[in-house]
Amino acid sequence: MFHKVLVANRSEIAVRVMRALRELGIRSVAIYSDVDANAIHTHYADEAYPLSGNHPKETYLNIKKIIDIAKNANVEAIHPGYGFLAENPSFAYACEKEGIVFIGPSSRAIELMGNKVVARQTMKRAGVPVVPGSDGEVKTLEEAKAIASEIGYPVLIKASAGGGGIGMQVVQKPEDLERAMEHTVATALSAFGDAGVFIEKYVTNPRHIEFQILADHFGNVIHLGERECTIQRRHQKILEESPSPVMTPELRRQMGEVAIRAAQAIQYVNAGTIEFIYSDGNFYFIEMNTRIQVEHPVTEMVTGIDLVKEQIRIAAGEPLSVRQEEVRMYGHAIECRINAEDPLNNFAPSPGKLLGYRSPGGVGVRVDSGVFTSYAIPPFYDPMISKLVVWGRNREEAIRRMQRALYEYIIVGPNTNIPFLKAVLANERFQRGEFTTHFVREESTLLRETARILLEEHPLQEKLQRIFRVDKKMAAAAAAAQAFLHHYENLSQGE
Ligand code: ADP
Ligand code: ADP
Ligand code: MG
C-alpha cells in the first residue's frame, strides 16, 4: 500500500479522498490556489503546498506545477478527484512517465473514452447497444443531412470531445441542421479545442441511468448497480438516486452485464461509470466517465462499499475487496447538489461569504462539503457548497428524510438552490418516480413553488440573521421573490 498520496483537487472531493486516505493510514498531500490557502482541504491534509495563482489554468489544471510538487513531496500516487485533470490523458501520462501512480485508469483508456466518437465505435464493436447515429465524426452538411434523414428527426448534434452538457444541440427539422452544426462546431472548438462533432438520434423522453463499475489489475470486473440521474437542468445533474425507480432485478442484471462488457472491452482498470439513455425498456450507451463521479455517494450508501478506498486499493495493485455475488443493494439513497446559485435569477452563480452555516445531521444523513462558517465561496471554480445525501429503507422514507434534512440546512449569505430542491422533492411526479430528462422544463410550477418557499422561509431567515449577527438586508431577497410571484401570476392569467 502507498505511504503518501497527493490529491490534485479542491473542496468537497479533495476532502472526500483525504478521508479515505486517512482511514487507510496513508499520508495526504494537498495543493492549493491563493484563495484556497484557508480552505478545508488545505488544512485537512498532512502536508499542503501552494500552487500560487487562482485561475484554474495556473493552479488545479497546471500539470507541470502539480507533478513538480508531487516529486518534491515524494508521493507514490496522485488522486485527481473529478473535474479539473481527472479525465485529461496527458496528466495520467505525465504521472505514468514520472513513475507516479495515477489513481484511475490508464491514459490510454482515458483517451479512448474521452472522445465520444471513438467510445461509440469501441462499444459498438464490443456488442454494447449505442444510440443510433453517425459512425464517425460528421464533416459536411451533406453528410449530416444524409445521416439525419436516415435515422430520422429529431437528432442531437454533440461535440466529440464534449462534457458538462456543453455544445449539444437538438435539431427538429432539416432546415435547422446547418445552423445547429455551425453552433456546435464553434462551441466545441472554443470549449474543448476540438471542432469534431457527430450526430445521434435524439431520444425524446429518456431517463439517464448509469452503472458504477470497479475493475482491478487481475481481470476482475464488477458492477455496483445503477444511479438514476434523470433530474437534470440543461443536461446537468441536480439530484441523483439509487436504485432507479424503474429498475427491476432482470433489467439490472442485463444492464450490469453490458456495463461490465463495456469495461472489459477496453481492459479498463479502476472505478468508472457507464452512462445509458433509457427509454421504454430499451437502453443505449452514451458515454463512459473514467473517474469517480460527483454522485458516487448514493452507490456507497446502498452498497456500503467505499468507492474511493477501492480506487486506492486497486491502484496499489490489490484485488477487489468484494465479488459480484457479495454486492447487495439495501434501501434507497438520494443526493442533492447544494449550489450557491440563485434559482430565481436563472440559477446564476452566487459566490460569496457563508455568514452563517450549519449542516443537517441525524439518522441516515451524510454531508460531503468543503465549507465552514465565514468561508467565502470563490468565484473561480464550481459554486457547489456541498452534497447532501440521505439513506432510507425505501424511496418514500428517503424522500421524507431529504425533506427533513433540507429543512435543517442553514446557509446565511449566498443564495442557494435549496428552495428549488424542496420544490422538486414536493412535486407529485417526482414522488411517483415518473419523470424524464425534461422534468425540470416541463414542471412549470417548480419556480413558482421555489419563490413561494423562499417567501415562506423569509421570517426564519431574518431570525437566523439575528442569531448569526449578520447585518445584511433581507428585504431585497423577499421583494425579489414577491416580484417573481406577481410576474408569474400575470403570466398565468394571460394564458
Ligand atoms: P458527474 O456525473 O460526475 O457530475 P459531470 O459531467 O457533471 O459529471 O462533471 C463532473 C465535474 O466535472 C463537475 O464538477 C463539472 O463541473 C466538471 N466538468 C465536466 N465537464 C466539464 C467541462 N467540459 N468543462 C468544465 N468542467 C467540466
Ligand atoms: P456530457 O459528456 O456532456 O455529460 P452526455 O452524452 O453524457 O454528455 O449527455 C448529457 C445528457 O444529455 C444526458 O444525461 C441526457 O440527459 C442528454 N442526452 C445525451 N444524449 C442524448 C440522446 N441521444 N437523446 C436524448 N438525450 C440525450
Ligand atoms: Mg455525461
Side-chain angles (χ1 to χ4, degrees):
M1 187 40 82
F2 308 120
H3 296 97
K4 207 196 230 188
V5 170
L6 183 145
V7 182
N9 216 302
R10 64 182 298 281
S11 194
E12 72 88 15
I13 192 62
V15 175
R16 167 69 190 92
V17 174
M18 288 173 195
R19 282 178 165 151
L21 292 171
R22 194 159 289 274
E23 287 183 23
L24 289 168
I26 302 169
R27 270 181 86 77
S28 52
V29 176
I31 52 175
Y32 60 95
S33 64
D34 293 347
V35 283
D36 282 343
N38 275 317
I40 292 195
H41 79 275
T42 308
H43 293 294
Y44 189 100
D46 296 305
E47 294 171 35
Y49 299 91
L51 288 160
S52 93
N54 281 319
H55 193 278
K57 279 202 175 117
E58 44 180 0
T59 55
Y60 302 101
L61 283 176
N62 193 306
I63 296 178
K64 190 182 175 310
K65 277 188 193 173
I66 296 171
I67 295 281
D68 282 348
I69 292 173
K71 286 190 346 202
N72 285 331
N74 252 318
V75 305
E76 298 141 282
I78 297 182
H79 194 300
Y82 57 71
F84 294 122
L85 295 171
E87 287 177 295
N88 184 318
S90 315
F91 183 58
Y93 184 72
C95 293
E96 287 161 15
K97 221 176 52 191
E98 295 292 344
I100 299 167
V101 177
F102 177 79
I103 302 178
S106 65
S107 58
R108 182 190 142 269
I110 299 175
E111 195 155 19
L112 269 178
M113 295 297 106
N115 185 301
K116 288 180 200 269
V117 169
V118 178
R120 275 172 61 84
Q121 289 166 343
T122 311
M123 289 307 149
K124 224 171 144 178
R125 271 202 302 277
V128 171
V130 301
V131 186
S134 55
D135 274 335
E137 282 182 2
V138 174
K139 307 276 185 209
T140 65
L141 183 62
E142 284 63 43
E143 214 184 317
K145 279 194 172 143
I147 289 155
S149 63
E150 190 190 315
I151 59 177
Y153 288 87
V155 297
L156 191 59
I157 309 197
K158 285 185 172 181
S160 319
I166 298 164
M168 260 183 258
Q169 294 270 318
V170 183
V171 183
Q172 301 287 351
K173 47 188 193 303
E175 304 89 271
D176 300 340
L177 202 53
E178 184 168 12
R179 265 189 56 192
M181 279 270 288
E182 279 168 6
H183 185 271
T184 302
V185 167
T187 314
L189 192 61
S190 75
F192 312 112
D194 176 346
V197 301
F198 67 104
I199 295 184
E200 259 179 27
K201 172 90 186 153
Y202 183 61
V203 182
T204 39
N205 283 306
R207 301 175 82 110
H208 172 122
I209 298 178
E210 58 185 35
F211 270 69
Q212 177 70 52
I213 63 107
L214 285 175
D216 65 17
H217 285 285
F218 307 94
N220 303 306
V221 188
I222 62 170
H223 77 83
L224 301 185
E226 77 282 3
R227 290 186 289 260
E228 165 78 67
C229 309
T230 300
I231 305 295
Q232 306 181 346
R233 190 180 158 270
R234 301 195 168 164
H235 306 301
Q236 293 206 11
K237 301 161 188 166
I238 297 174
L239 176 155
E240 302 95 348
E241 54 186 306
S242 186
S244 162
V246 296
M247 195 51 67
T248 62
E250 175 53 21
L251 182 64
R252 181 176 296 128
R253 198 187 53 73
Q254 272 181 36
M255 293 181 80
E257 267 175 24
V258 169
I260 288 175
R261 200 183 319 145
Q264 283 168 337
I266 54 165
Q267 284 106 48
Y268 192 84
V269 171
N270 216 281
T273 298
I274 317 289
E275 295 190 336
F276 296 103
I277 280 284
Y278 168 93
S279 178
D280 294 327
N282 298 312
F283 59 92
Y284 310 94
F285 169 89
I286 49 170
E287 68 160 341
M288 177 167 191
N289 291 325
T290 54
R291 55 172 158 85
I292 193 79
Q293 276 187 277
V294 174
E295 60 273 22
H296 77 275
V298 293
T299 300
E300 296 185 324
M301 297 288 263
V302 293
T303 62
I305 296 168
D306 184 321
L307 284 168
V308 179
K309 283 208 286 205
E310 286 303 315
Q311 282 194 294
I312 297 166
R313 288 201 192 98
I314 292 167
E318 292 182 13
L320 293 181
S321 74
V322 274
R323 289 194 309 266
Q324 187 70 62
E325 319 76 88
E326 293 168 331
V327 177
R328 292 266 179 287
M329 291 173 82
Y330 183 60
H332 198 100
I334 303 178
E335 171 184 279
C336 282
R337 300 188 186 201
I338 310 292
N339 297 329
E341 61 189 14
D342 184 358
L344 295 189
N345 183 18
N346 204 22
F347 295 84
S350 178
K353 199 165 179 166
L354 293 170
L355 301 164
Y357 183 80
R358 188 173 191 278
S359 55
V363 65
V365 176
R366 163 175 173 180
V367 182
D368 279 24
S369 89
V371 303
F372 49 90
T373 302
S374 88
Y375 174 78
I377 297 159
F380 305 100
Y381 320 107
D382 252 19
M384 193 159 79
I385 296 173
S386 72
K387 303 189 306 209
L388 174 57
V389 193
V390 300
W391 180 89
R393 282 187 299 179
N394 50 45
R395 187 165 188 265
E396 200 184 328
E397 188 178 52
I399 291 174
R400 297 288 298 178
R401 191 162 278 163
M402 181 58 87
Q403 290 176 310
R404 185 269 290 172
L406 287 170
Y407 164 80
E408 288 175 15
Y409 218 141
I410 296 174
I411 297 176
V412 186
N415 293 309
T416 75
N417 61 341
I418 289 177
F420 180 74
L421 291 165
K422 286 178 178 168
V424 171
L425 284 151
N427 179 283
E428 276 184 24
R429 257 180 81 205
F430 174 77
Q431 294 191 352
R432 287 201 305 270
E434 291 164 9
F435 43 73
T436 71
T437 53
H438 307 299
F439 172 80
V440 170
R441 199 165 37 78
E442 283 170 0
E443 290 302 301
S444 53
T445 57
L446 283 177
L447 284 181
R448 184 192 61 192
E449 280 308 294
T450 303
R452 200 187 52 71
I453 290 165
L454 261 168
L455 269 182
E456 216 173 74
E457 285 176 351
H458 183 65
L460 172 70
Q461 280 290 333
E462 282 195 326
K463 191 168 115 192
L464 288 171
Q465 292 209 357
R466 283 196 301 278
I467 295 171
F468 285 99
R469 293 167 204 264
V470 172
D471 181 26
K472 188 190 164 201
K473 292 275 171 289
M474 280 302 289
Q482 192 79 60
F484 187 92
L485 278 177
H486 275 307
H487 175 66
Y488 189 92
E489 268 146 31
N490 288 341
L491 279 182
S492 320
Q493 276 161 15
E495 268 169 15

